[in-house]
Amino acid sequence: MAWDPTNAEQVARYSRQLLLAEVGARGQAALGAARVVVVGAGGLGAPVLTYLAAAGVGRLVVVDGDVVDATNLHRQVLFTGDDVGRPKPAAARPRLEALDPWGEIEIVCERLTPANAGRLLAGADVAIDATDNFAARFLLNDACRLAGVPLVHGGLTRFGGLVTTFVPKGPCYRCFFPRPPESGRIPGCGEEGVLGPAVGVVGSLQALEAVKVIVGAQADALVGRLLVLDLWKPAFELIALPADPDCSLCGSAPEITDLDPAEPFYHPA
């Protein structure tokens, strides 16, 4: 069920964001009609999904092939100890439905692959990279660019991370990260740790970026800019992210024109 301005319960629920000139009734209608694909339902996915469901996004597609583990619980706030061992999208669904009884939650309990990426992104207004590995990041970036779908990217460090938004006519992930790093070169949170509240901040910023794109405020989004956060110090840095004319995906002579299932970039090491 999309946004209905005659529904008193909906008007009450969204009243505070309806007051914002940047959102208003028109923006709320856009949120209610939007289809957002969130790849990853873990540390970043939890705040992304929570805030987008609460904001009234009409259809959320939750893509994750992992199950809830006890080590997830300090930062993946959609889950409780009772969810350990359950597929993450299935465990998240009832909580997201409770946040937005008018929205639709589609769960995909599998990993993003070259075979399913096109189907999952079809008709999407925006996709969100809440993944935790480079194979998924490169695949999602390439799939979104080829499908013309805006992509909000987030990454994590121990006490913060980075956020940026890629749109069809702007730079893409490969413009500043042409190739995946060598396996083991960049440690993950399982090796160097991560602080739960910091993950929540990065994921919340991703949700905000998605809202901007949906309501038509793309000019205010982090397009061509990379926001880097260290929340322990704290320190915030905004870095220009120009398009690379030689980018293998979005440059003047692109080499990547489809999602080749044999491409090693798309498969975890």
Side-chain angles (χ1 to χ4, degrees):
M1 178 178 176
W3 160 245
D4 179 3
T6 67
N7 184 314
E9 189 176 353
Q10 285 194 32
V11 171
R13 182 173 296 226
Y14 307 127
S15 61
R16 297 303 184 266
Q17 62 193 37
L18 286 167
L19 290 170
L20 298 169
E22 293 82 356
V23 180
R26 181 176 297 179
Q28 194 62 53
L31 289 166
R35 181 178 189 268
V36 179
V37 179
V38 181
V39 183
L44 293 175
V48 165
L49 290 164
T50 297
Y51 278 109
L52 291 183
V57 169
R59 188 175 185 186
L60 285 171
V61 183
V62 188
V63 184
D64 198 311
D66 202 3
V67 299
V68 180
D69 185 83
T71 62
N72 302 152
L73 299 179
H74 87 286
R75 68 193 183 281
Q76 299 184 17
V77 293
L78 275 174
F79 311 124
T80 69
D82 291 339
D83 295 316
V84 170
R86 297 184 63 200
K88 289 182 179 179
R93 185 176 196 168
R95 295 172 178 84
L96 298 174
E97 289 176 337
L99 284 169
D100 183 12
W102 304 283
E104 180 182 349
I105 309 298
E106 178 185 342
I107 62 172
V108 181
C109 299
E110 56 189 76
R111 296 186 183 279
L112 187 76
T113 68
N116 65 20
R119 169 176 57 84
L120 293 175
L121 290 171
D125 295 279
V126 62
I128 299 186
D129 179 356
T131 65
D132 62 358
N133 66 85
F134 284 99
R137 290 168 189 158
F138 277 89
L139 172 56
L140 184 56
N141 172 75
D142 296 357
C144 284
R145 180 53 60 112
L146 293 172
V149 175
L151 172 64
V152 179
H153 170 72
L156 294 174
T157 60
R158 297 186 306 154
F159 300 114
L162 53 87
V163 182
T164 188
T165 295
F166 303 120
V167 296
K169 293 185 178 180
C172 77
Y173 186 71
R174 287 184 184 266
C175 287
F176 75 103
F177 226 141
R179 300 176 61 87
E182 295 179 6
S183 180
R185 183 177 177 184
I186 298 179
C189 64
E191 291 78 38
E192 64 176 9
V194 65
L195 194 63
V199 176
V201 171
V202 176
S204 295
L205 287 169
Q206 287 184 274
L208 179 59
E209 287 293 291
V211 169
K212 291 178 190 177
V213 172
I214 293 167
V215 303
Q218 184 173 297
D220 295 323
L222 290 167
V223 177
R225 299 179 294 169
L226 181 69
L227 179 61
V228 182
L229 308 92
D230 182 337
L231 295 159
W232 191 261
K233 292 183 178 179
F236 301 81
E237 186 176 8
L238 196 58
I239 301 171
L241 182 62
D244 178 2
D246 297 320
C247 176
S248 60
L249 178 66
C250 68
S252 57
E255 302 170 10
I256 301 169
T257 57
D258 59 20
L259 300 178
D260 182 356
E263 172 56 65
F265 285 3
Y266 300 153
H267 303 279

